């Protein structure tokens, strides 16, 4: 008995130390990634569920590491948060998105509003709003950047969130509550958040056609959002059947592989131009 559990213990510590080593390697190269310009933004369209008109795009960060390849955000965002580097990277995301938007304006193509994701670490800082205000001031006035905040982030220290989101609203920034349905929001607080958009989490969309409980939750979330004068975006729509059902349920917009995967800036620009031709 004792020996088996002893071996197991060794086994786990070996795995754990491998993971620690990997994490340390990632962390040290993440520190220089910003200076070396290794981050890139990809853009994914959000379209009207009825006529498929382009309503906006979401900026999604990737790390193009010479050592690790193209690293998805879930692999490195938590590390950026732990080390506090997310604050600097978050500002970089805002500036990059602003420049891309300005580039669309300069090229004379339709410029969809860009939404950027905000980490809880950014939102909780006392200088969060002044940082955003300064970033906004340093870019062209016609640049429209919006913010996505996950439901759990918004509900963490909810009074602080409500205050800061109101200040952002006053700056003309639209706010979307991301991953909606995964947290445990009190409706009373939800109603107090000055958000324009609810994004229903992909986990509901991907299962609703097989699971009647999920379906009725999606339906309830849509009615709830509309009663609070919010628009609803369905995340992770992958099939036409899902899109048809969401249209019946009066969802406003959709985002997902059915429409397009996230793509680099140049490809997004071509995508916009193509739609203008059609
Ligand atoms: P999110 O904000 O919920 O973003 C949506 C994620 O779903 C993206 O993953 C997107 O590529 C993926 N997705 C979109 N449509 C589909 C679909 O039809 N099927 C499937 N299976 N997936 C779909 P991604 O790009 O890997 O990003 C993961 C998460 O990383 C994001 O989730 C967001 O929380 C975070 N993130 C991304 N960029 C940033 C950033 O600049 N700052 C911060 N703080 N977080 C970011
Ligand atoms: Ca998001
Ligand atoms: Ca989401
Ligand atoms: Ca998500």
């Amino acid at each position: 008995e004792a020996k088996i559990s002893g071996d197991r213990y060794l086994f786990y510590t070996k795995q754990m130390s491998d993971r620690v080593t990997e994490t340390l390697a990632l962390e040290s190269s993440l520190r220089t990634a910003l200076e070396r310009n290794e981050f890139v933004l990809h853009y994914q369209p959000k379209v009207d569920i009825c006529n498929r008109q382009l309503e906006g795009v979401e900026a999604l960060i990737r790390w193009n590491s010479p050592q690790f390849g193209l690293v998805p955000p879930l692999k490195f965002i938590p590390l950026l948060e732990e080390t506090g580097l997310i604050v600097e990277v978050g500002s970089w995301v805002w500036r990059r998105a602003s420049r891309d938007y300005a580039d669309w304006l300069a090229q004379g193509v339709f410029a969809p509003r860009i939404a950027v994701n905000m980490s809880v670490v950014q939102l909780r800082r006392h200088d969060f709003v002044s940082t955003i205000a300064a970033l906004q001031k340093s870019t062209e006035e016609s640049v429209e950047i919006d913010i996505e905040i996950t439901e759990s982030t918004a509900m963490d220290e909810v009074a602080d969130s409500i205050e800061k989101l109101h200040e952002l609203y006053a700056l003309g920034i639209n706010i979307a509550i991301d991953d909606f349905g995964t947290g445990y929001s009190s409706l009373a607080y939800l109603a107090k958040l000055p958000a324009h958009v609810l994004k229903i989490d992909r986990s509901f969309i991907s299962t609703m056609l097989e699971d009647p409980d999920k379906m009725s939750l999606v339906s309830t979330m849509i009615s709830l959002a509309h009663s609070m004068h919010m628009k609803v975006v369905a995340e992770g729509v992958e099939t036409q059947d899902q899109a048809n059902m969401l249209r019946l349920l009066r969802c406003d917009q959709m985002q997902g592989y059915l429409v397009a995967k996230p793509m680099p800036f140049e490809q997004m620009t071509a995508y916009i131009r193509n739609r203008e031709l059609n």
Side-chain angles (χ1 to χ4, degrees), residues 108-259:
V109 297
F110 168 68
R113 297 182 76 99
I114 299 177
V116 300
N117 291 282
M118 287 286 152
S119 154
V120 66
V121 175
Q122 290 171 276
L123 184 68
R124 291 283 85 88
R125 284 175 62 100
H126 68 274
D127 62 355
F128 172 67
V129 175
S130 59
T131 302
I132 299 291
L135 285 165
Q136 205 188 29
K137 223 173 159 189
S138 69
T139 52
E140 244 178 274
E141 217 180 299
S142 41
V143 170
E144 317 246 36
I145 307 290
D146 298 328
I147 284 178
E148 296 192 1
I149 291 175
T150 65
E151 181 189 5
S152 57
T153 295
M155 290 300 151
D156 162 72
E157 302 199 34
V158 67
D160 181 63
S161 297
I162 291 171
E163 190 183 321
K164 285 170 174 166
L165 295 185
H166 270 290
E167 287 169 6
L168 292 181
Y169 182 86
L171 293 172
I173 294 165
N174 286 357
I175 293 144
I177 305 299
D178 206 349
D179 298 353
F180 191 70
T182 58
Y184 302 90
S185 294
S186 131
L187 287 187
Y189 285 132
L190 187 64
K192 281 191 183 154
L193 289 172
H196 304 70
V197 174
L198 270 193
K199 298 187 77 176
I200 300 180
D201 192 66
R202 175 161 59 89
S203 58
F204 293 90
I205 308 305
S206 61
T207 54
M208 66 176 186
L209 293 180
E210 290 80 47
D211 183 343
D213 292 343
K214 289 281 167 57
M215 177 93 84
S216 68
L217 278 170
V218 170
S219 174
T220 304
M221 287 190 267
I222 293 170
S223 315
L224 178 72
H226 286 162
S227 73
M228 297 192 293
H229 309 288
M230 295 163 94
K231 289 250 187 283
V232 185
V233 180
E235 297 194 295
V237 177
E238 294 182 351
T239 69
Q240 190 57 51
D241 286 347
Q242 290 166 350
N244 292 343
M245 180 51 69
L246 288 161
R247 198 172 51 224
L248 288 176
L249 296 175
R250 299 270 182 275
C251 184
D252 301 286
Q253 297 172 19
M254 64 174 164
Q255 183 180 351
Y257 295 171
L258 176 67
V259 178

Side-chain angles (χ1 to χ4, degrees), residues 7 23 45 67 73 172 182 214 227 234 236 241 265 268:
D7 283 350
T23 303
Q67 191 182 351
T182 58
K214 289 281 167 57
S227 73
D241 286 347
F265 175 73
M268 190 65 222

